[in-house]
Every structure is written in C-alpha cells, then in structure tokens.
Amino acid sequence: MQSVKTLIIGGLALFDISLAIFFITPQDFVLASSQKTAQEVFLVCKSDARYQECIGEEFAKVMDARGFGFLSETLLSYQTLDPGIRGCHTMAHETAQALKRKFSVLWKDILRQIDPGLCGGGFMHGVLEARVGDDPRFNIDTRSFEEICHGVVQENFSDSCAHILGHIIFVEKEGNLKVSLNVCRGLAGEMLFQCYGGIFMEDSVRMSFSDHGLGPEPFRNWQWFLRQQERCREYNGDEFLEGGCFFDLAGAAAEVYGFRAANVYDICMTARFSLARERCYIRASNIIIIASPPNTNPNDFDELCGLIYFDISVNNRCISWTVSALLDASLLFMPRGVRFCERKQGLYQTKCFNELIGQIQNRVSRQDRHIRFCNALPAHYQEQCKE
C-alpha cells in the first residue's frame, strides 16, 4: 500500500513539474539566460579599470552570438546589477565599436535590428560611425544625410541620425570647427539644428575625436565650461548655430554646476534666440533626470520642466522629451519617471503620465513586464496603461 501511495505521489509530482514546464514560455528561458549572461559579464568587468569599455567588448560578443534582442534583455538584467550603467550611451557606443568590422559591412541590416533610441542612441551612433567614420572613401555631405537619415534609419530617428553625423563630421574634419559647420549648410530645420548640435558637442567632449587618436579628451572643469560658453557667444548671430551650441552647452553647464537645474537654466536663458533658450532648457532637463545620485535627487524633480517657462507648449515638449530620454536610457528608470510625473500639477501631470503610458505601450512587449510597469503607475492610470 505504501509503495502504491509513493507511486501516486511521485506521479502527481511529475505531473506538476510537467505542467510547470508546459507553462514556461520561450521568453522565460531567454530572461533566465540573459540574467546569467549579465552576471557573467559583471564578474568579468567589475574590477576592470576600463569598466564601460570592458562591458562594451563583452556585450559585442553577446550580440554577435545571440543577436540584438537577446542583448537588450541582457542589458536590462545588467542594469539591475549595476544601476550606474543605466545611462548607457558610452557603453552602447563601445559595443558597436567592438563589432565595427562586421557593422561596416552589414550596417544597414544592423540598423534595422536595433532600437535606435536605446541608450540615448548609443548603439546607432556606434553603427553609423563604423560605417562612415572608419571608411576613408566615404565623405559626408548634405546628400549623405538624405541617404542615411531618411533612406536607412527609421524615420522617427532621422534627427538623431543627423546629430550623430555631426559628431562624425567633426572627427572627419580633424577638429576644424568652421570647416565642420560648413558641411551642414545645405540642410534645413531640425536636421540643420541637429547637425550643428552634434558638431558642437563633439568639439566639447571630444570622445570620438580621442578614440581616433586625434587628441585628448578635455578636463571638464570651469575653464573648459567657460571656453564653451564663449564659443557660443561667437555664434549668436545665427539662430540655428546658436541653438546647436547652446544645446551642447546645457550638458557642460550641468557638469560644472553639479546638475542643479536652476543654475543650468540660468545659463540657458543667456542665449539671444528663443530656439537656443528653449532647446538648452529641454536638454538640461533630459540630462539632469538621468544623472546618477548624488548628482541628482531622484525624489525631487520639482524644478524640471516648469521652473523658468510659463509657455504651455514649451513645457509640454520638455515633459514629453524628458520622459522619452529617461526611458531611452533604461526602462528601469520607470520609478523615476513616475516620481517626475507626480511632481507635476494639473494638465502637466496628465500629459506626463500619458507620455509614460505611451512609452510603456511602445517599448514593453513582454506581457508580464508590461503589467508590472503599468501597476507601478498611480491607480487611476493603470487600466488605461493595460488597454
């Protein structure tokens, strides 16, 4: 009798296990595998002096072997292990650079696979640099912007593409600012603005410039900031030139002022043209919300997108672009996004939570994860998010 009971219990246990396995989806296996991969990369790189470069190199191996979808899951798992890597633009750029030989041949296919906005466009930056920045036969001109940013890159990321090409132009012209800026002159509107902004930013930070052995990165101190500020005064005779320069100056000001919004906004308000003031103001908000503690207080976003401007359209753009920038950096910044929206009032708060919901619906495909993110919202927004 005992043996029969044991057999029955054993059979039921096997049935339970079989049932559990039946309900495990391929996504569950991917998630578990990506978590294991993230832990392996963390163990390899955690003590490496070239920490972000090390992660980039290891992630390049992951992407080469498993594709971009698996890499995206691995990145999310890694950002859980190390929240400091949630601002992942540099790491993403390093990943693409580590695969430059493959990307330079298959760059169009890779651009169609990746999320161009992920990590603040870091992956897209690396892929484009591998294609045009490391090919001496390729010369960027206004026709290149049309071919690449409208012909290859997803249309809603064409402006980001123009910004990245601006970075590459500065490297291609070996740091000659005036010659670099002249390349943009056949463009118009947002493409022109982003081309100028990318050039001015590379002139400031010189990361790609340094990677190509053209000179060192600058020390980001007060002297460095004052040079960038004076440079913007030299270009305040043209709306788009000044706009592109102040777009970059927002980042420099954030660094030297310790990511304090009020101080950075004050710098933005010194611009001559409204375009420069507004875009500096919005980019400063994007940068500050992503900064890691102690550079920013994730529980206090009262000043962001509301301290200076009383223009509804400007503040709505600021809210929309800041939410997008936050989740471009990492989906794990969702709690920070909720706190940001909770600090808004009235219609601004509604706008903010609608933007968060849109980001969840567009970015989160796993149903269990989608529900979890929706449940993190205030109760009266949760059902709208789950629709």
PDB file of all heavy atoms in Angstrom, residues 344-368:
ATOM      1  N   LYS A 344       4.361  67.002 -11.112  1.00  0.00           N
ATOM      2  CA  LYS A 344       3.678  67.948 -11.990  1.00  0.00           C
ATOM      3  C   LYS A 344       2.268  68.227 -11.461  1.00  0.00           C
ATOM      4  O   LYS A 344       1.702  67.449 -10.700  1.00  0.00           O
ATOM      5  CB  LYS A 344       3.588  67.397 -13.421  1.00  0.00           C
ATOM      6  CG  LYS A 344       4.929  67.072 -14.084  1.00  0.00           C
ATOM      7  CD  LYS A 344       5.748  68.294 -14.341  1.00  0.00           C
ATOM      8  CE  LYS A 344       7.064  68.252 -13.630  1.00  0.00           C
ATOM      9  NZ  LYS A 344       7.815  69.489 -13.631  1.00  0.00           N
ATOM     10  N   GLN A 345       1.680  69.294 -11.915  1.00  0.00           N
ATOM     11  CA  GLN A 345       0.353  69.688 -11.465  1.00  0.00           C
ATOM     12  C   GLN A 345      -0.634  69.749 -12.639  1.00  0.00           C
ATOM     13  O   GLN A 345      -0.241  70.075 -13.757  1.00  0.00           O
ATOM     14  CB  GLN A 345       0.409  71.070 -10.784  1.00  0.00           C
ATOM     15  CG  GLN A 345       1.320  71.150  -9.566  1.00  0.00           C
ATOM     16  CD  GLN A 345       0.846  70.297  -8.417  1.00  0.00           C
ATOM     17  OE1 GLN A 345      -0.358  70.193  -8.167  1.00  0.00           O
ATOM     18  NE2 GLN A 345       1.777  69.668  -7.704  1.00  0.00           N
ATOM     19  N   GLY A 346      -1.900  69.439 -12.359  1.00  0.00           N
ATOM     20  CA  GLY A 346      -2.972  69.639 -13.327  1.00  0.00           C
ATOM     21  C   GLY A 346      -2.745  68.954 -14.658  1.00  0.00           C
ATOM     22  O   GLY A 346      -2.408  67.773 -14.728  1.00  0.00           O
ATOM     23  N   LEU A 347      -2.920  69.717 -15.741  1.00  0.00           N
ATOM     24  CA  LEU A 347      -2.788  69.161 -17.085  1.00  0.00           C
ATOM     25  C   LEU A 347      -1.369  68.704 -17.379  1.00  0.00           C
ATOM     26  O   LEU A 347      -1.160  67.787 -18.184  1.00  0.00           O
ATOM     27  CB  LEU A 347      -3.230  70.199 -18.121  1.00  0.00           C
ATOM     28  CG  LEU A 347      -4.730  70.544 -18.113  1.00  0.00           C
ATOM     29  CD1 LEU A 347      -5.021  71.655 -19.120  1.00  0.00           C
ATOM     30  CD2 LEU A 347      -5.574  69.308 -18.428  1.00  0.00           C
ATOM     31  N   TYR A 348      -0.374  69.327 -16.746  1.00  0.00           N
ATOM     32  CA  TYR A 348       1.003  68.880 -16.935  1.00  0.00           C
ATOM     33  C   TYR A 348       1.180  67.458 -16.396  1.00  0.00           C
ATOM     34  O   TYR A 348       1.892  66.643 -16.978  1.00  0.00           O
ATOM     35  CB  TYR A 348       1.986  69.820 -16.235  1.00  0.00           C
ATOM     36  CG  TYR A 348       2.195  71.145 -16.933  1.00  0.00           C
ATOM     37  CD1 TYR A 348       2.372  72.314 -16.198  1.00  0.00           C
ATOM     38  CD2 TYR A 348       2.252  71.235 -18.320  1.00  0.00           C
ATOM     39  CE1 TYR A 348       2.581  73.537 -16.821  1.00  0.00           C
ATOM     40  CE2 TYR A 348       2.455  72.443 -18.966  1.00  0.00           C
ATOM     41  CZ  TYR A 348       2.620  73.599 -18.209  1.00  0.00           C
ATOM     42  OH  TYR A 348       2.828  74.803 -18.838  1.00  0.00           O
ATOM     43  N   GLN A 349       0.545  67.153 -15.278  1.00  0.00           N
ATOM     44  CA  GLN A 349       0.649  65.804 -14.730  1.00  0.00           C
ATOM     45  C   GLN A 349      -0.025  64.793 -15.654  1.00  0.00           C
ATOM     46  O   GLN A 349       0.504  63.715 -15.920  1.00  0.00           O
ATOM     47  CB  GLN A 349       0.023  65.732 -13.338  1.00  0.00           C
ATOM     48  CG  GLN A 349       0.218  64.358 -12.689  1.00  0.00           C
ATOM     49  CD  GLN A 349      -0.369  64.281 -11.305  1.00  0.00           C
ATOM     50  OE1 GLN A 349      -1.517  63.855 -11.140  1.00  0.00           O
ATOM     51  NE2 GLN A 349       0.393  64.707 -10.299  1.00  0.00           N
ATOM     52  N   THR A 350      -1.202  65.157 -16.169  1.00  0.00           N
ATOM     53  CA  THR A 350      -1.898  64.274 -17.112  1.00  0.00           C
ATOM     54  C   THR A 350      -1.039  64.028 -18.342  1.00  0.00           C
ATOM     55  O   THR A 350      -0.903  62.883 -18.806  1.00  0.00           O
ATOM     56  CB  THR A 350      -3.242  64.896 -17.533  1.00  0.00           C
ATOM     57  OG1 THR A 350      -4.031  65.139 -16.369  1.00  0.00           O
ATOM     58  CG2 THR A 350      -3.997  63.978 -18.474  1.00  0.00           C
ATOM     59  N   LYS A 351      -0.460  65.092 -18.887  1.00  0.00           N
ATOM     60  CA  LYS A 351       0.431  64.977 -20.040  1.00  0.00           C
ATOM     61  C   LYS A 351       1.586  64.027 -19.732  1.00  0.00           C
ATOM     62  O   LYS A 351       1.933  63.156 -20.535  1.00  0.00           O
ATOM     63  CB  LYS A 351       0.961  66.370 -20.398  1.00  0.00           C
ATOM     64  CG  LYS A 351       2.156  66.402 -21.351  1.00  0.00           C
ATOM     65  CD  LYS A 351       1.782  66.038 -22.755  1.00  0.00           C
ATOM     66  CE  LYS A 351       2.966  66.216 -23.701  1.00  0.00           C
ATOM     67  NZ  LYS A 351       2.624  65.785 -25.081  1.00  0.00           N
ATOM     68  N   CYS A 352       2.170  64.189 -18.565  1.00  0.00           N
ATOM     69  CA  CYS A 352       3.339  63.406 -18.190  1.00  0.00           C
ATOM     70  C   CYS A 352       3.004  61.918 -18.087  1.00  0.00           C
ATOM     71  O   CYS A 352       3.709  61.067 -18.645  1.00  0.00           O
ATOM     72  CB  CYS A 352       3.891  63.939 -16.863  1.00  0.00           C
ATOM     73  SG  CYS A 352       5.544  63.331 -16.449  1.00  0.00           S
ATOM     74  N   PHE A 353       1.924  61.583 -17.401  1.00  0.00           N
ATOM     75  CA  PHE A 353       1.563  60.170 -17.261  1.00  0.00           C
ATOM     76  C   PHE A 353       1.116  59.568 -18.587  1.00  0.00           C
ATOM     77  O   PHE A 353       1.375  58.384 -18.855  1.00  0.00           O
ATOM     78  CB  PHE A 353       0.497  59.990 -16.175  1.00  0.00           C
ATOM     79  CG  PHE A 353       1.057  59.926 -14.794  1.00  0.00           C
ATOM     80  CD1 PHE A 353       0.792  60.934 -13.875  1.00  0.00           C
ATOM     81  CD2 PHE A 353       1.884  58.872 -14.411  1.00  0.00           C
ATOM     82  CE1 PHE A 353       1.329  60.881 -12.588  1.00  0.00           C
ATOM     83  CE2 PHE A 353       2.428  58.815 -13.133  1.00  0.00           C
ATOM     84  CZ  PHE A 353       2.149  59.818 -12.221  1.00  0.00           C
ATOM     85  N   ASN A 354       0.471  60.351 -19.440  1.00  0.00           N
ATOM     86  CA  ASN A 354       0.131  59.845 -20.775  1.00  0.00           C
ATOM     87  C   ASN A 354       1.386  59.522 -21.579  1.00  0.00           C
ATOM     88  O   ASN A 354       1.418  58.552 -22.341  1.00  0.00           O
ATOM     89  CB  ASN A 354      -0.730  60.859 -21.518  1.00  0.00           C
ATOM     90  CG  ASN A 354      -2.169  60.862 -21.040  1.00  0.00           C
ATOM     91  OD1 ASN A 354      -2.646  59.881 -20.464  1.00  0.00           O
ATOM     92  ND2 ASN A 354      -2.883  61.955 -21.262  1.00  0.00           N
ATOM     93  N   GLU A 355       2.418  60.348 -21.421  1.00  0.00           N
ATOM     94  CA  GLU A 355       3.691  60.063 -22.092  1.00  0.00           C
ATOM     95  C   GLU A 355       4.310  58.779 -21.546  1.00  0.00           C
ATOM     96  O   GLU A 355       4.832  57.953 -22.311  1.00  0.00           O
ATOM     97  CB  GLU A 355       4.668  61.231 -21.904  1.00  0.00           C
ATOM     98  CG  GLU A 355       4.293  62.498 -22.648  1.00  0.00           C
ATOM     99  CD  GLU A 355       4.391  62.358 -24.159  1.00  0.00           C
ATOM    100  OE1 GLU A 355       5.152  61.485 -24.630  1.00  0.00           O
ATOM    101  OE2 GLU A 355       3.698  63.109 -24.863  1.00  0.00           O
ATOM    102  N   LEU A 356       4.280  58.595 -20.241  1.00  0.00           N
ATOM    103  CA  LEU A 356       4.807  57.368 -19.650  1.00  0.00           C
ATOM    104  C   LEU A 356       4.057  56.143 -20.163  1.00  0.00           C
ATOM    105  O   LEU A 356       4.667  55.128 -20.518  1.00  0.00           O
ATOM    106  CB  LEU A 356       4.698  57.421 -18.121  1.00  0.00           C
ATOM    107  CG  LEU A 356       5.884  57.922 -17.310  1.00  0.00           C
ATOM    108  CD1 LEU A 356       5.574  57.796 -15.823  1.00  0.00           C
ATOM    109  CD2 LEU A 356       7.164  57.176 -17.648  1.00  0.00           C
ATOM    110  N   ILE A 357       2.738  56.245 -20.203  1.00  0.00           N
ATOM    111  CA  ILE A 357       1.931  55.127 -20.695  1.00  0.00           C
ATOM    112  C   ILE A 357       2.276  54.811 -22.149  1.00  0.00           C
ATOM    113  O   ILE A 357       2.420  53.643 -22.537  1.00  0.00           O
ATOM    114  CB  ILE A 357       0.433  55.452 -20.539  1.00  0.00           C
ATOM    115  CG1 ILE A 357       0.050  55.445 -19.063  1.00  0.00           C
ATOM    116  CG2 ILE A 357      -0.434  54.464 -21.330  1.00  0.00           C
ATOM    117  CD1 ILE A 357      -1.328  56.009 -18.771  1.00  0.00           C
ATOM    118  N   GLY A 358       2.427  55.845 -22.969  1.00  0.00           N
ATOM    119  CA  GLY A 358       2.809  55.638 -24.366  1.00  0.00           C
ATOM    120  C   GLY A 358       4.148  54.940 -24.489  1.00  0.00           C
ATOM    121  O   GLY A 358       4.326  54.056 -25.340  1.00  0.00           O
ATOM    122  N   GLN A 359       5.094  55.310 -23.644  1.00  0.00           N
ATOM    123  CA  GLN A 359       6.404  54.675 -23.676  1.00  0.00           C
ATOM    124  C   GLN A 359       6.308  53.202 -23.283  1.00  0.00           C
ATOM    125  O   GLN A 359       6.940  52.335 -23.903  1.00  0.00           O
ATOM    126  CB  GLN A 359       7.368  55.401 -22.729  1.00  0.00           C
ATOM    127  CG  GLN A 359       7.750  56.807 -23.167  1.00  0.00           C
ATOM    128  CD  GLN A 359       8.630  56.824 -24.395  1.00  0.00           C
ATOM    129  OE1 GLN A 359       9.422  55.920 -24.624  1.00  0.00           O
ATOM    130  NE2 GLN A 359       8.496  57.860 -25.202  1.00  0.00           N
ATOM    131  N   ILE A 360       5.527  52.896 -22.262  1.00  0.00           N
ATOM    132  CA  ILE A 360       5.342  51.501 -21.856  1.00  0.00           C
ATOM    133  C   ILE A 360       4.724  50.695 -22.995  1.00  0.00           C
ATOM    134  O   ILE A 360       5.184  49.594 -23.337  1.00  0.00           O
ATOM    135  CB  ILE A 360       4.442  51.414 -20.603  1.00  0.00           C
ATOM    136  CG1 ILE A 360       5.141  52.041 -19.397  1.00  0.00           C
ATOM    137  CG2 ILE A 360       4.074  49.957 -20.298  1.00  0.00           C
ATOM    138  CD1 ILE A 360       4.240  52.203 -18.182  1.00  0.00           C
ATOM    139  N   GLN A 361       3.683  51.236 -23.614  1.00  0.00           N
ATOM    140  CA  GLN A 361       2.985  50.507 -24.673  1.00  0.00           C
ATOM    141  C   GLN A 361       3.859  50.303 -25.904  1.00  0.00           C
ATOM    142  O   GLN A 361       3.748  49.285 -26.587  1.00  0.00           O
ATOM    143  CB  GLN A 361       1.693  51.241 -25.026  1.00  0.00           C
ATOM    144  CG  GLN A 361       0.664  51.190 -23.898  1.00  0.00           C
ATOM    145  CD  GLN A 361      -0.558  52.049 -24.155  1.00  0.00           C
ATOM    146  OE1 GLN A 361      -0.516  52.977 -24.961  1.00  0.00           O
ATOM    147  NE2 GLN A 361      -1.649  51.766 -23.456  1.00  0.00           N
ATOM    148  N   ASN A 362       4.743  51.249 -26.188  1.00  0.00           N
ATOM    149  CA  ASN A 362       5.602  51.143 -27.370  1.00  0.00           C
ATOM    150  C   ASN A 362       6.848  50.304 -27.135  1.00  0.00           C
ATOM    151  O   ASN A 362       7.393  49.723 -28.080  1.00  0.00           O
ATOM    152  CB  ASN A 362       6.026  52.538 -27.835  1.00  0.00           C
ATOM    153  CG  ASN A 362       4.894  53.325 -28.437  1.00  0.00           C
ATOM    154  OD1 ASN A 362       3.943  52.750 -28.966  1.00  0.00           O
ATOM    155  ND2 ASN A 362       4.962  54.643 -28.345  1.00  0.00           N
ATOM    156  N   ARG A 363       7.316  50.234 -25.897  1.00  0.00           N
ATOM    157  CA  ARG A 363       8.611  49.628 -25.631  1.00  0.00           C
ATOM    158  C   ARG A 363       8.554  48.249 -24.976  1.00  0.00           C
ATOM    159  O   ARG A 363       9.505  47.483 -25.098  1.00  0.00           O
ATOM    160  CB  ARG A 363       9.448  50.538 -24.710  1.00  0.00           C
ATOM    161  CG  ARG A 363       9.875  51.846 -25.334  1.00  0.00           C
ATOM    162  CD  ARG A 363      10.488  52.750 -24.273  1.00  0.00           C
ATOM    163  NE  ARG A 363      10.903  54.028 -24.809  1.00  0.00           N
ATOM    164  CZ  ARG A 363      12.089  54.278 -25.329  1.00  0.00           C
ATOM    165  NH1 ARG A 363      12.997  53.328 -25.372  1.00  0.00           N
ATOM    166  NH2 ARG A 363      12.389  55.471 -25.814  1.00  0.00           N
ATOM    167  N   VAL A 364       7.488  47.954 -24.252  1.00  0.00           N
ATOM    168  CA  VAL A 364       7.470  46.741 -23.430  1.00  0.00           C
ATOM    169  C   VAL A 364       6.566  45.702 -24.083  1.00  0.00           C
ATOM    170  O   VAL A 364       5.342  45.832 -24.080  1.00  0.00           O
ATOM    171  CB  VAL A 364       6.982  47.058 -21.995  1.00  0.00           C
ATOM    172  CG1 VAL A 364       7.044  45.794 -21.132  1.00  0.00           C
ATOM    173  CG2 VAL A 364       7.825  48.166 -21.373  1.00  0.00           C
ATOM    174  N   SER A 365       7.165  44.659 -24.652  1.00  0.00           N
ATOM    175  CA  SER A 365       6.397  43.658 -25.380  1.00  0.00           C
ATOM    176  C   SER A 365       6.013  42.466 -24.501  1.00  0.00           C
ATOM    177  O   SER A 365       4.978  41.845 -24.716  1.00  0.00           O
ATOM    178  CB  SER A 365       7.197  43.170 -26.595  1.00  0.00           C
ATOM    179  OG  SER A 365       8.467  42.673 -26.208  1.00  0.00           O
ATOM    180  N   ARG A 366       6.841  42.133 -23.524  1.00  0.00           N
ATOM    181  CA  ARG A 366       6.515  41.023 -22.622  1.00  0.00           C
ATOM    182  C   ARG A 366       5.284  41.388 -21.781  1.00  0.00           C
ATOM    183  O   ARG A 366       5.277  42.400 -21.087  1.00  0.00           O
ATOM    184  CB  ARG A 366       7.683  40.730 -21.680  1.00  0.00           C
ATOM    185  CG  ARG A 366       8.808  39.895 -22.273  1.00  0.00           C
ATOM    186  CD  ARG A 366       9.877  39.680 -21.215  1.00  0.00           C
ATOM    187  NE  ARG A 366       9.341  38.969 -20.067  1.00  0.00           N
ATOM    188  CZ  ARG A 366       9.548  37.687 -19.807  1.00  0.00           C
ATOM    189  NH1 ARG A 366      10.255  36.966 -20.644  1.00  0.00           N
ATOM    190  NH2 ARG A 366       9.057  37.133 -18.722  1.00  0.00           N
ATOM    191  N   GLN A 367       4.258  40.540 -21.831  1.00  0.00           N
ATOM    192  CA  GLN A 367       3.009  40.872 -21.157  1.00  0.00           C
ATOM    193  C   GLN A 367       3.186  41.004 -19.648  1.00  0.00           C
ATOM    194  O   GLN A 367       2.647  41.923 -19.023  1.00  0.00           O
ATOM    195  CB  GLN A 367       1.950  39.818 -21.459  1.00  0.00           C
ATOM    196  CG  GLN A 367       0.575  40.180 -20.902  1.00  0.00           C
ATOM    197  CD  GLN A 367      -0.480  39.168 -21.301  1.00  0.00           C
ATOM    198  OE1 GLN A 367      -0.174  38.097 -21.801  1.00  0.00           O
ATOM    199  NE2 GLN A 367      -1.739  39.507 -21.086  1.00  0.00           N
ATOM    200  N   ASP A 368       3.951  40.082 -19.038  1.00  0.00           N
ATOM    201  CA  ASP A 368       4.130  40.143 -17.584  1.00  0.00           C
ATOM    202  C   ASP A 368       4.859  41.423 -17.179  1.00  0.00           C
ATOM    203  O   ASP A 368       4.519  42.074 -16.180  1.00  0.00           O
ATOM    204  CB  ASP A 368       4.883  38.912 -17.079  1.00  0.00           C
ATOM    205  CG  ASP A 368       6.254  38.744 -17.712  1.00  0.00           C
ATOM    206  OD1 ASP A 368       6.468  39.247 -18.842  1.00  0.00           O
ATOM    207  OD2 ASP A 368       7.130  38.106 -17.088  1.00  0.00           O
TER     208      ASP A 368
END
